[in-house]
Amino acid sequence: MKLGKKLSTSKILRRLSMRREATTSPGESAANNMAARKIMSEPPSDRPDDAPIGAKQPQFTEVDDRLKSLVISRQAITSPPSISSQEPNVATPNRPCPTMTDAIVSSSPVEEHKGSFVGRNGWLVLKEVLKIARDASDQFWPVKTVLVPLVGLMEHVESVHGTQQRFLELADKIRTYELIFSRYKETVNVPTYMYDRLDGMVEKLKSIKVAAERKTQRGLPSRAIHVYEDVKDIVDMTDELASALEILKARSIVETHLGVHNLVTMDALKGLQHVAGAGINALKEDGCMEGTRVNILQDLQAWSANPTAPRIFWLDGMAGTGKSAIARSFARMLRAEGYLAGSFFCSRGIASRENVRRIVPTLAWFLARRCSAYREALVPILQESPDIAENTVDEQIECLLSRPFEDLRFHAEDAPLVFIIDALDECASANETQMLLNKLLSPSLHIPLKFFLTSRAEPHIRLQLNSLKTSLRQILRLHDIEQDLVQADISRYVDKQLHLIRSSSPYPGIFPAEWPTAADVTGLARQAGKLFIHAFTAIMYVQGENPVKRLKTLISPRAVDNEPLNTRLDKMYELVLFPAMDSRIRTKEEISDTKRILLAMLTIRELLSISKLARILGMNVDDVCWKLHLLHAVVYIPSDPDVGMVSTFHASFGDFLTNPGRAPAHMFLDLSMGHYNLVDCCLTLMDSELYFNISGCQTSYLPNSAQELQRLPLYLKYACVHWPYHLAQATGSLSIIHKLREVFSQRFLFWLEALSAMELAKIASSLIRVALTSQLIYQDVVSDTVDLLQDINFFIISSQAVLETSVAHIYLSALPALARQCQAAQALLPNFVNIPEVHSQNVLIEQRAILCIHGIGRDCIALSPDGKIIASVSFDDKIQLWSAQTGEMMTLFSEGHESKVISIAFSPNGRYIASGAYDDTIRIWSVQTGKRIYEPLEGHTERITSVIFSPDSKYIASGSADKTIRIWRISTRELVLEPLRGHTYWITSLAYSPNSKILASGSLDETIRIWNTENGEVVMHPLEDHTAEITCVIFSPDGKYLASGSRDKTIRIWSTETGEVMTILEGHKDWVTYITFSFDSQYIASGSDDCTVRVWDIRSGSMIMQPLEGHTDWITFVAFTLDSRNVISGSDDHTIRVWNIMQGRETILQLPPGHTHKVTSVIFSPDEKYIASSSYDTSIRIWNVVTGDIIIQPLQGHLGRITTIAFSSDSKYIVSGSADKTVRIWDIQTGALVLQPLQGHTQAVTSVAFSPDNKLIASGSDDQTVRIWDMHTGRMPMHPLKDYKTLSLSVMFSLDGQYITSGSYDNSIKVWNAQTGEIPSRGHISQVNSLSFSPDDEYLVSGSDDHKVRVWDIQTGRLRMQPFEGHTVVVTSVAFSPSGKYIVSGSNDRMIRFWRHDANINATTSMDCKGILGI
């Protein structure tokens, strides 16, 4: 754009500053700048609904009424300020700083004889403002060209008559724009749209310019004569200029608003994650050839245009009948007519186009681009649910289709828009496809849209569509169309394509004069039958080398009339493949490479370019291109290896190659080997190309979202994401498992970094779980690959938030924090320097969740009888089914209750799910179809609180807030008995006995009742041992026990024969909310309001492991898997977790029988090479840990039962105590006594211990004393330690050997100084530096100069536990965590230590913070 003469920026700035320095105060200058900014950011007006997103903004060429109405009138200056030459231009409390207008007026000479004083002041103000605007508008040349002659004209006018008000109003208007112009000193700073808007004003400004120039060119006499007329004209011109600039401003406001609105809209639509390549615009494939499929397309056009026609049109046909070609033609027809809402062409093998969850968001994206009203309704929903693309199909349809159309009105007579979904059968998940159809076909879905669907008649699709009322769907089966009609279309296609081959050939002389003949066309069409893909493949084959010869080969006489359609197609494919597979002209390596390429194309999960496919396969691009060229008849080959996606033309080609009954043996391809090859290639790529900081992270202070990370190559992204899926379907050598272990043991952190950088960290755990479904992994009994992957999965679950937020903190936070519990992380820790270093002492490792499922809704969950499916309830009260193996959602039922669901249960045969809800009804659902199979069971008068199937799946029992229990026969939906009454408050839980004859019920009335299911009578008296409300009841699988949980925090085990309490399980710190038995009736798992899951041994009544912690809200469900190795828990934190409870519990060594009496003690040697045991048989036996063999003859010599034994710290000696009142020390290599028996106790010795340096031995006895013995002399260096009133149970040295602790029957623990025998002070022995209260104010933590941290009970003033030791110098700071569960301490030893604050655990974790941000 030509801008005219450009003034120097520095000159403009100098001129402006000189004027303003003389006329404007600093405050005024800032105010003016603020005013300009305010003007530029005035709120925009609403955008027109019909403006398409991203379209170029309209070019305004004339002023219309809408824009004029947007002009904001500025308040006029009503009177000039008072002027006094005696007062300085400063602000006073009663007088503000002079304005720009004040300064100009006060600096102008007053010449009363040349006009009125008032008018003259206003005139000068206007002139000066126009001058400044002129000088500031260099970059706005249309305005500049007007201001130059206009200011020149004013210079010629000396006498002015008029009022100051009018001149000041004009000056105020122009000054606003001068402030705007002054912001743009260089051309590059001027927004393009400003030039566009000025272009639209050129004619208007030009007329003002011409008029002004004409007046300035007159002579002096003429100017004197027309002076008053000139003043009026100047005012009018200035007014016109101001009005034009106001229009410019209004236009800019409107367009700014539209621009901002577009940005907001586009940002919201990004959340849909639409698949760009799935729409009709992205497809290069042709539709139906002109003149073919005419009747079908006409029928489709009529269906789409008829508002009363069914909402669904299903085009059904076997492979190769031309469904996709018809869909493409129909889509382009609708697009041309303006009725295409959106399209999605599914494709098997392309992850994004075979994923059902991508369909509805992509269709919504297309419709939003098409329909502004829908778009405006959709954007607020997307802002509420930005992750809708990851939600279930049911939720997507609700949010993206149902809700946006609730407030949109359409006329019934209008032809609705049409969505097209092609090749539904090629979607990967049959369950999700079924879910999609369920919702689309639901009569409750009221949207003014139609759906055109194409697919093969797969069972999961056919059942859904055939069961629908004809008023909702219309079906056309292509393979049922008359042969003659199809043949006519195929003949037209063949004839046109053969003539095209001839006309486009560079060698026309090779064709006979009549080629192709009518017989050629008929013969080829006859062979194709009803399969368009056959005709297409034949044409592709013919257009290769020597078309005449190839056509002759194809139409040679063959008996095809009675052959199945697939047989004809198979022969065609065999003929096409033969040149590439002919062993007479191809080497074994060439044939093998061709098969590798074909296998990759059939098993690859995303379409790739030739170059990227070659990179994954590790092949040369030229070699791949050459081998694909031989397959051009069946494979689409892009002209550019780097652009376009290589793919087979039709899915039937893959069916032919992979079906042993169709492809010849030398052409047959095993898909599992294709997956094997690809996982091998993926591992190779990750091993060679994953490295530390592959993401290019610049700082650990910013999350991923706040910095620009490097993009990974597409082929590497493919390898990182898809290797587990290929592994899960692979068969072959176990060497691939060894390779997997080698790569991931070294590079799993780099793999996680790559996923984090690609914003895919949330699927990392799911990927590992998918890999763990591989059969190959479990066939490898040598390596520990399963343990490695489970370890990595634990790392992922434990650091999920870090992985999703920051790649840097994978190394800085997650790695050091989890290395203690994760061997895979621990092995890599030495490879990284300058990161926090974690140390631990006596830390009890928490049990680890092996799977965490996010996204459950309500607090009711159930596990299928085979343990493979987890059922939960969504927030809209629909049942969700999840894979218990991988955590992926399998199904979301399309219907639900009308109110909150409280209880669900699987039938024992796994076929049904029952649900009870606030709507007082019970509903029964088919697990396979997700549909309700019976009418709701009605009868209760208040909400349903519990539902359960009988073990034979014939009955359902339900409990309710109406205090009754009802038993229903499923087949008739009728009550078997009258309602069971007896409870005085809500029923909370029901349980059937294994034989279905007994039903137990728990209630808020604190009782359990046992009912006979045949007559409804109470079997025994109410069980009333609990002291609070009953929350859950369950029978053991063997029927011997009934377990109950309560708000009294206990679990009681009852005998089903006597009704007596056998065991009380105590340990939970809040309500027990759910309990379940293992299938062998040996264990109970319980969940509680304390957010923990606990597993109990029924016989001993004790927990078999530490509580399972990880949930952040109360536990709503627990269940054992069939093998009792895993426990599944659900929580109100909306997650499901799967725990491996067998870790650390498997028997790894079975020691042979040895002792002849009760075993009293079993211990490991410190070096873990030996196990020692003692017994009532007065012997000690020592076993080899590895072999289980006894390493030496039994140690014998005691005259009474041996009560206690202990190893020395060097594992060379054993000390034993006995009922014979003696202590003996044994050499485990020789079995001989080291010293004579140590005598002195007067009662049985109950406990012995070595000091850490093995110099002393401590023994405790029933004689109420603790004695210290010298290991070398056998003498006591001090008098017996006695401070007990009852028997001494145990003795133990502290780790540093300075103290001896002993416990007694009097419930006390004593701490003795090992050197003096004195009981030390109960508190710190040096200055206390820091104190902190626990969040509940029950405890106080202190840090001291004595290097220790102590926790005190505020009520008693006593230590709650032993001091925390580990710091090596002064402890300077201590604090509780917000939960009160942990304590953190800081010290001058430059260490931060974390301590577990638990009544039963004295554990520490420390973090070495040397060099970490000065901590």
Side-chain angles (χ1 to χ4, degrees), residues 1139-1287:
W1139 314 83
N1140 185 336
I1141 64 168
M1142 295 306 294
Q1143 289 177 346
R1145 293 207 304 120
E1146 295 100 333
T1147 299
I1148 60 175
L1149 179 65
Q1150 180 68 49
L1151 298 179
H1155 290 290
T1156 59
H1157 212 301
K1158 291 181 180 179
V1159 176
T1160 57
S1161 182
V1162 179
I1163 59 173
F1164 273 92
S1165 63
D1167 61 7
E1168 299 185 352
K1169 292 181 179 180
Y1170 310 113
I1171 295 174
S1173 61
S1174 61
S1175 170
Y1176 271 42
D1177 63 9
T1178 71
S1179 72
I1180 300 168
R1181 298 174 187 257
I1182 305 174
W1183 318 74
N1184 184 294
V1185 169
V1186 177
T1187 64
D1189 297 330
I1190 294 178
I1191 66 169
I1192 198 171
Q1193 290 299 315
L1195 308 181
Q1196 295 180 318
H1198 281 291
L1199 302 179
R1201 69 181 184 273
I1202 299 175
T1203 57
T1204 178
I1205 55 176
F1207 271 102
S1208 62
S1209 61
D1210 58 9
S1211 301
K1212 293 180 178 180
Y1213 306 102
I1214 283 180
V1215 61
S1216 59
S1218 168
D1220 66 6
K1221 311 174 189 176
T1222 68
V1223 176
R1224 300 179 187 236
I1225 307 170
W1226 312 80
D1227 186 315
I1228 68 172
Q1229 298 298 322
T1230 65
L1233 284 173
V1234 176
L1235 297 170
Q1236 291 297 313
L1238 308 180
Q1239 298 179 340
H1241 285 294
T1242 59
Q1243 296 290 332
V1245 178
T1246 57
S1247 180
V1248 291
F1250 277 97
S1251 64
D1253 60 4
N1254 298 325
K1255 293 180 179 180
L1256 300 176
I1257 290 174
S1259 60
S1261 168
D1262 284 349
D1263 64 8
Q1264 305 176 19
T1265 68
V1266 174
R1267 296 176 184 254
I1268 310 300
W1269 312 85
D1270 187 295
M1271 166 70 178
H1272 299 292
T1273 65
R1275 298 176 182 176
M1276 291 193 297
M1278 65 184 72
H1279 58 78
L1281 309 179
K1282 184 174 181 179
D1283 193 42
Y1284 288 108
K1285 299 177 181 179
T1286 59
L1287 308 181

Side-chain angles (χ1 to χ4, degrees), residues 132-279:
I132 295 173
R134 176 197 63 191
D135 295 342
S137 61
D138 284 5
Q139 306 305 325
F140 302 88
W141 65 271
V143 179
K144 181 91 171 181
T145 57
V146 174
L147 289 171
V148 169
L150 189 58
V151 172
L153 180 60
M154 293 186 75
E155 295 288 358
H156 295 302
V157 178
E158 299 296 333
S159 180
V160 177
H161 292 280
T163 64
Q164 177 178 341
Q165 179 68 25
R166 180 61 174 151
F167 298 143
L168 290 177
E169 287 178 356
L170 290 174
D172 192 49
K173 285 184 178 182
I174 299 300
R175 184 177 61 177
T176 297
Y177 298 101
E178 172 266 317
L179 292 172
I180 296 175
F181 298 153
S182 65
R183 296 178 58 191
Y184 302 101
K185 303 302 182 184
E186 301 289 343
T187 304
V188 294
N189 295 330
V190 183
T192 304
Y193 76 85
M194 291 289 284
Y195 285 131
D196 294 339
R197 301 295 74 81
L198 288 169
D199 287 345
M201 297 170 53
V202 168
E203 293 303 320
K204 180 73 173 175
L205 297 176
K206 185 177 180 181
S207 62
I208 302 174
K209 169 181 174 290
V210 170
E213 288 177 340
R214 187 186 309 116
K215 287 182 177 292
T216 59
Q217 293 170 0
R218 294 173 303 175
L220 182 60
S222 177
R223 291 202 303 270
I225 295 172
H226 298 94
V227 63
Y228 296 112
E229 178 185 340
D230 286 349
V231 170
K232 180 179 179 302
D233 289 343
I234 289 172
V235 171
D236 291 343
M237 292 177 193
T238 306
D239 198 27
E240 286 186 55
L241 175 61
S243 297
L245 293 175
E246 286 286 348
I247 298 299
L248 171 65
K249 171 184 169 183
R251 289 171 178 167
S252 299
I253 290 173
V254 171
E255 290 167 14
T256 300
H257 173 77
L258 293 178
V260 171
H261 184 74
N262 283 349
L263 289 174
V264 172
T265 300
M266 293 304 293
D267 185 63
L269 293 182
K270 285 180 182 178
L272 293 173
Q273 301 178 28
H274 79 287
V275 182

Side-chain angles (χ1 to χ4, degrees), residues 1258-1316:
S1259 60
S1261 168
D1262 284 349
D1263 64 8
Q1264 305 176 19
T1265 68
V1266 174
R1267 296 176 184 254
I1268 310 300
W1269 312 85
D1270 187 295
M1271 166 70 178
H1272 299 292
T1273 65
R1275 298 176 182 176
M1276 291 193 297
M1278 65 184 72
H1279 58 78
L1281 309 179
K1282 184 174 181 179
D1283 193 42
Y1284 288 108
K1285 299 177 181 179
T1286 59
L1287 308 181
S1288 176
L1289 282 175
S1290 61
V1291 293
M1292 182 180 181
F1293 279 89
S1294 62
L1295 290 177
D1296 60 6
Q1298 294 184 22
Y1299 302 103
I1300 298 171
T1301 62
S1302 60
S1304 168
Y1305 273 119
D1306 65 5
N1307 299 325
S1308 66
I1309 298 173
K1310 296 292 188 297
V1311 182
W1312 317 81
N1313 187 301
Q1315 305 301 319
T1316 66

Side-chain angles (χ1 to χ4, degrees), residues 783-1084:
S783 73
D784 57 350
T785 308
V786 172
D787 294 336
L788 173 67
L789 293 182
Q790 289 176 342
D791 216 29
I792 292 172
N793 189 49
F794 163 72
F795 184 93
I796 294 168
I797 292 174
S798 302
S799 59
Q800 190 68 51
V802 173
L803 298 181
E804 294 184 23
T805 305
S806 171
V807 296
H809 284 276
I810 296 174
Y811 306 99
L812 291 175
S813 300
L815 175 59
L818 294 171
R820 175 175 57 88
Q821 302 180 53
C822 177
Q823 293 182 0
Q826 190 174 36
L828 294 179
L829 196 59
N831 298 335
F832 299 92
V833 295
N834 298 325
I835 63 173
E837 191 175 316
V838 176
H839 307 280
S840 61
Q841 295 176 334
N842 306 325
V843 176
L844 291 172
I845 298 177
E846 297 180 358
Q847 292 296 319
R848 315 188 309 187
I850 60 175
L851 177 64
C852 183
I853 301 173
H854 296 266
I856 66 170
R858 302 294 185 197
D859 51 7
C860 45
I861 300 168
L863 180 67
S864 65
D866 61 8
K868 295 180 179 179
I869 301 173
I870 300 170
S872 65
V873 179
S874 64
F875 282 115
D876 57 358
D877 298 295
K878 296 174 183 176
I879 294 174
Q880 306 161 303
L881 300 184
W882 310 81
S883 167
Q885 216 170 16
T886 66
E888 296 177 315
M889 178 176 283
M890 301 166 59
T891 308
L892 176 69
F893 291 4
S894 59
E895 301 176 64
H897 281 270
E898 297 173 358
S899 59
K900 182 180 179 180
V901 176
I902 303 176
S903 177
I904 59 174
F906 271 97
S907 62
N909 60 18
R911 295 169 57 190
Y912 308 112
I913 292 177
S915 59
Y918 272 37
D919 59 13
D920 309 341
T921 69
I922 300 108
R923 304 188 185 211
I924 305 173
W925 312 85
S926 166
V927 172
Q928 182 178 5
T929 65
K931 293 186 175 181
R932 194 179 69 219
I933 58 174
Y934 298 117
E935 291 299 314
L937 305 180
E938 298 179 341
H940 284 291
T941 57
E942 290 193 45
R943 68 188 63 172
I944 309 299
T945 56
S946 180
V947 292
I948 187 172
F949 282 89
S950 62
D952 57 10
S953 300
K954 293 181 179 179
Y955 305 98
I956 286 178
S958 58
S960 168
D962 65 9
K963 310 171 191 175
T964 70
I965 301 161
R966 299 173 188 246
I967 302 177
W968 315 76
R969 181 176 283 107
I970 297 175
S971 58
T972 62
R973 280 88 66 200
E974 296 177 349
L975 287 174
V976 176
L977 302 167
E978 289 296 315
L980 308 182
R981 305 179 188 275
H983 284 293
T984 59
Y985 209 178
W986 290 8
I987 312 299
T988 57
S989 181
L990 298 173
Y992 265 105
S993 64
N995 61 9
S996 300
K997 294 181 179 180
I998 302 296
L999 182 70
S1001 59
S1003 169
L1004 294 182
D1005 63 11
E1006 303 182 12
T1007 70
I1008 301 166
R1009 297 177 186 259
I1010 313 297
W1011 312 84
N1012 184 312
T1013 58
E1014 295 179 352
N1015 56 30
E1017 296 180 355
V1018 175
V1019 174
M1020 61 177 67
H1021 59 81
L1023 309 182
E1024 300 178 325
D1025 198 53
H1026 281 291
T1027 58
E1029 296 91 335
I1030 311 300
T1031 56
C1032 46
V1033 293
I1034 189 170
F1035 281 96
S1036 62
D1038 60 13
K1040 294 180 181 180
Y1041 311 110
L1042 174 71
S1044 59
S1046 167
R1047 292 185 181 179
D1048 64 11
K1049 309 177 187 177
T1050 70
I1051 301 162
R1052 283 167 164 72
I1053 312 296
W1054 313 77
S1055 167
T1056 55
E1057 293 184 1
T1058 65
E1060 299 296 324
V1061 176
M1062 300 176 61
T1063 307
I1064 299 178
L1065 308 180
E1066 297 181 285
H1068 280 296
K1069 299 176 182 177
D1070 213 324
W1071 299 356
V1072 176
T1073 54
Y1074 205 100
I1075 54 176
T1076 187
F1077 277 93
S1078 62
F1079 288 91
D1080 57 10
S1081 300
Q1082 293 186 30
Y1083 306 106
I1084 281 181

